[in-house]
Amino acid sequence: MEQLGSTKKTSFYVIGISYKKADAKLRGDFSLSPTKKARLLNQAKTSGIQSIVATSTCNRTEIYAFVNDPNELVQLLCNNTVGTIEALEPVAYTLKDSLAIEHMFRVGAGLDSQILGDFEIISQLKSSARVSKKYGLLDAFLERLINSVIQASKRIKTETKLSSGATSVSFASVQYILKSVKDVTTKNILLFGTGKIGRNTCENLIKHTKNEHITLINRTRDRAEKIAGKFKVLVKDYSQLPEEIKNTDILIVATGAQNPTVDKQLIQNKKELLILDLSLPKNVDENVKDLKNVTLTHLDELSNITDETLNKRKEFIPVAEAIIEEIKNAFLAWLEYRKFAPTIKALKEKLNVFAEAEIDVQRKKLEDFNKTQADLISAQIVQKITNHFAHHLKQEASSGKKSLELIQEIFQLDS
């Protein structure tokens, strides 16, 4: 599968690391913050890569691109994270062309998520594509593919119950709290971090716990206040974090920091404290386990939670896969058409030259010649002829190359 519009012989690859083989610590080593992603894209552009998208979530980091050798992408990832090639090799995966396309569809549909039906990856894919486009690194192929994946994701959400109810890590964390904490409505809950996972967790807390003692803290107070206004919860300043931790029963950490923001020195309370770390890299230092009153749970443990609702979602996998197959085939048909579109365009231009020449001859012969009407008729005939050729090439995909060569030879078109 060669890159559209490129003279370089490249293939479409995805390289990645996910929860399937790598634990949270290792995934954290290869996670891409916005700054790291920007640096990666700049390096890709400098090295001659023309189309690339990099995504990074708590469950996976993946790079999709057209390259000669997938090791180029491995090197890019290692150059811009703290991970090493030696650490990546045993857990990484590499997929090429049709397998890479299939993988992107399954990821976007929530079929490859740590919690079945979790669609949070799709927003990451959208934003990553926007960033690549800003850098001039999103070609027609990759843009169309991502749009097709988004379309499949929307249809699966609408036409199946694969994502019925909440289906994310934030949902799993609330389920964990409900199962682990008695009288949860009376407990003080502190949410530190108001990114997407933090917002979703806040919404799920209110919806499922009926707790009215929820406090938000974020490094930027404005962001916390926006969420607090929507959900009617308290907001405290970042400087009040130690004091608030002292008064809380459940601490949920969902910040986007690259290093731990909570450690045992920050915890002064003596009562039982449950800490859920929903961040990647981990934002809670393991040393909090030294405190006997503290229980620490990370998102990998939360994602192993299964319940009746999640099991029911499995019934909708075949329908989701059928939707993916339909939209994927439409994408591949578009891709096939792109291969002969230049020939059809050249054919149309050649037929227009023939038409113009004949109209010019007839105009000189006939005194009452109506050029406007002749132009209209000839344009319609040319369009019908090119449509017939295009339809033939679509229908004869297996022998498309021979048909293209024959058209180019008959009409003396540049190949």
Side-chain angles (χ1 to χ4, degrees), residues 248-267:
T248 198
D249 301 293
I250 303 166
L251 170 62
I252 301 169
V253 181
T255 69
Q258 294 299 298
N259 297 297
T261 53
V262 174
D263 60 19
K264 68 179 183 180
Q265 278 74 36
L266 203 60
I267 299 169

Side-chain angles (χ1 to χ4, degrees), residues 192-323:
F192 177 35
T194 55
K196 182 163 186 182
I197 289 178
R199 291 196 305 273
N200 290 348
T201 303
C202 186
E203 186 172 2
N204 283 317
L205 281 169
I206 292 164
K207 184 177 179 181
H208 298 289
T209 68
K210 311 299 180 188
N211 189 295
E212 296 181 358
H213 313 282
I214 299 171
T215 302
L216 301 185
I217 290 181
N218 194 58
R219 287 179 183 273
T220 309
R221 186 181 172 109
D222 289 351
R223 290 187 66 180
E225 284 179 339
K226 285 180 183 177
I227 295 168
K230 181 180 178 183
F231 298 119
K232 297 179 183 177
V233 295
L234 289 173
V235 174
K236 297 288 183 177
D237 286 329
Y238 176 60
S239 60
Q240 296 174 279
L241 182 61
E243 181 187 339
E244 289 302 317
I245 290 177
K246 192 174 181 180
N247 297 323
T248 198
D249 301 293
I250 303 166
L251 170 62
I252 301 169
V253 181
T255 69
Q258 294 299 298
N259 297 297
T261 53
V262 174
D263 60 19
K264 68 179 183 180
Q265 278 74 36
L266 203 60
I267 299 169
Q268 304 298 323
N269 49 338
K270 302 298 181 184
K271 63 178 179 176
E272 293 293 314
L273 176 64
L274 172 62
I275 303 178
L276 305 185
D277 187 359
L278 310 186
S279 312
L280 196 88
K282 291 181 178 180
N283 275 195
V284 180
D285 198 299
E286 291 287 317
N287 66 18
V288 300
K289 291 181 178 178
D290 296 342
L291 304 172
K292 292 182 180 179
N293 61 312
V294 172
T295 301
L296 173 64
T297 301
H298 192 257
L299 60 87
D300 275 1
E301 298 162 63
L302 295 171
S303 297
N304 290 328
I305 294 171
T306 58
D307 64 10
E308 191 178 343
T309 306
L310 287 171
N311 288 329
K312 281 182 179 178
R313 291 188 189 118
K314 293 177 181 177
E315 299 172 16
F316 301 99
I317 291 175
V319 182
E321 288 177 334
I323 291 170

